[in-house]
PDB file of all heavy atoms in Angstrom:
ATOM      1  N   LEU A 311      -6.948   0.571 -21.543  1.00 98.00           N
ATOM      2  CA  LEU A 311      -5.782  -0.221 -21.192  1.00 98.00           C
ATOM      3  C   LEU A 311      -5.961  -0.688 -19.759  1.00 98.00           C
ATOM      4  O   LEU A 311      -6.034   0.142 -18.851  1.00 98.00           O
ATOM      5  CB  LEU A 311      -4.515   0.648 -21.294  1.00 98.00           C
ATOM      6  CG  LEU A 311      -4.183   1.179 -22.719  1.00 98.00           C
ATOM      7  CD1 LEU A 311      -3.044   2.207 -22.641  1.00 98.00           C
ATOM      8  CD2 LEU A 311      -3.754   0.027 -23.624  1.00 98.00           C
ATOM      9  N   TRP A 312      -6.086  -1.970 -19.567  1.00 96.00           N
ATOM     10  CA  TRP A 312      -6.406  -2.525 -18.214  1.00 96.00           C
ATOM     11  C   TRP A 312      -5.159  -3.138 -17.621  1.00 96.00           C
ATOM     12  O   TRP A 312      -4.537  -4.039 -18.180  1.00 96.00           O
ATOM     13  CB  TRP A 312      -7.507  -3.588 -18.308  1.00 96.00           C
ATOM     14  CG  TRP A 312      -8.839  -3.107 -18.721  1.00 96.00           C
ATOM     15  CD1 TRP A 312      -9.669  -3.652 -19.722  1.00 96.00           C
ATOM     16  CD2 TRP A 312      -9.625  -2.011 -18.189  1.00 96.00           C
ATOM     17  NE1 TRP A 312     -10.817  -2.958 -19.806  1.00 96.00           N
ATOM     18  CE2 TRP A 312     -10.846  -1.974 -18.877  1.00 96.00           C
ATOM     19  CE3 TRP A 312      -9.382  -1.080 -17.184  1.00 96.00           C
ATOM     20  CZ2 TRP A 312     -11.847  -1.000 -18.612  1.00 96.00           C
ATOM     21  CZ3 TRP A 312     -10.369  -0.156 -16.892  1.00 96.00           C
ATOM     22  CH2 TRP A 312     -11.561  -0.108 -17.616  1.00 96.00           C
ATOM     23  N   VAL A 313      -4.831  -2.687 -16.403  1.00 95.00           N
ATOM     24  CA  VAL A 313      -3.706  -3.237 -15.615  1.00 95.00           C
ATOM     25  C   VAL A 313      -4.340  -3.969 -14.421  1.00 95.00           C
ATOM     26  O   VAL A 313      -5.060  -3.347 -13.626  1.00 95.00           O
ATOM     27  CB  VAL A 313      -2.771  -2.108 -15.136  1.00 95.00           C
ATOM     28  CG1 VAL A 313      -1.609  -2.703 -14.370  1.00 95.00           C
ATOM     29  CG2 VAL A 313      -2.273  -1.266 -16.298  1.00 95.00           C
ATOM     30  N   PRO A 314      -4.121  -5.287 -14.313  1.00 93.00           N
ATOM     31  CA  PRO A 314      -4.932  -6.072 -13.369  1.00 93.00           C
ATOM     32  C   PRO A 314      -4.730  -5.727 -11.874  1.00 93.00           C
ATOM     33  O   PRO A 314      -3.636  -5.347 -11.434  1.00 93.00           O
ATOM     34  CB  PRO A 314      -4.385  -7.520 -13.569  1.00 93.00           C
ATOM     35  CG  PRO A 314      -3.779  -7.489 -14.955  1.00 93.00           C
ATOM     36  CD  PRO A 314      -3.223  -6.120 -15.107  1.00 93.00           C
ATOM     37  N   PHE A 315      -5.831  -5.860 -11.122  1.00 93.00           N
ATOM     38  CA  PHE A 315      -5.809  -5.791  -9.654  1.00 93.00           C
ATOM     39  C   PHE A 315      -5.236  -7.097  -9.099  1.00 93.00           C
ATOM     40  O   PHE A 315      -5.221  -8.140  -9.793  1.00 93.00           O
ATOM     41  CB  PHE A 315      -7.195  -5.606  -9.087  1.00 93.00           C
ATOM     42  CG  PHE A 315      -7.738  -4.216  -9.107  1.00 93.00           C
ATOM     43  CD1 PHE A 315      -8.743  -3.853 -10.023  1.00 93.00           C
ATOM     44  CD2 PHE A 315      -7.238  -3.273  -8.235  1.00 93.00           C
ATOM     45  CE1 PHE A 315      -9.262  -2.577 -10.000  1.00 93.00           C
ATOM     46  CE2 PHE A 315      -7.767  -1.965  -8.240  1.00 93.00           C
ATOM     47  CZ  PHE A 315      -8.764  -1.611  -9.129  1.00 93.00           C
ATOM     48  N   GLU A 316      -4.835  -7.104  -7.812  1.00 94.00           N
ATOM     49  CA  GLU A 316      -4.402  -8.318  -7.130  1.00 94.00           C
ATOM     50  C   GLU A 316      -4.867  -8.354  -5.714  1.00 94.00           C
ATOM     51  O   GLU A 316      -4.948  -7.333  -5.034  1.00 94.00           O
ATOM     52  CB  GLU A 316      -2.827  -8.358  -7.142  1.00 94.00           C
ATOM     53  CG  GLU A 316      -2.191  -8.315  -8.528  1.00 94.00           C
ATOM     54  CD  GLU A 316      -0.677  -8.167  -8.458  1.00 94.00           C
ATOM     55  OE1 GLU A 316      -0.083  -8.427  -7.411  1.00 94.00           O
ATOM     56  OE2 GLU A 316      -0.105  -7.731  -9.494  1.00 94.00           O
ATOM     57  N   ARG A 317      -5.204  -9.550  -5.227  1.00 97.00           N
ATOM     58  CA  ARG A 317      -5.675  -9.727  -3.853  1.00 97.00           C
ATOM     59  C   ARG A 317      -4.512  -9.578  -2.875  1.00 97.00           C
ATOM     60  O   ARG A 317      -3.393 -10.077  -3.129  1.00 97.00           O
ATOM     61  CB  ARG A 317      -6.264 -11.135  -3.675  1.00 97.00           C
ATOM     62  CG  ARG A 317      -7.443 -11.465  -4.522  1.00 97.00           C
ATOM     63  CD  ARG A 317      -7.797 -12.972  -4.367  1.00 97.00           C
ATOM     64  NE  ARG A 317      -8.941 -13.384  -5.167  1.00 97.00           N
ATOM     65  CZ  ARG A 317      -8.876 -13.663  -6.473  1.00 97.00           C
ATOM     66  NH1 ARG A 317      -7.714 -13.590  -7.107  1.00 97.00           N
ATOM     67  NH2 ARG A 317      -9.966 -14.031  -7.126  1.00 97.00           N
TER      68      ARG A 317
END
Side-chain angles (χ1 to χ4, degrees):
L311 297 169
W312 294 131
V313 182
F315 279 108
E316 301 171 20
R317 299 171 180 82

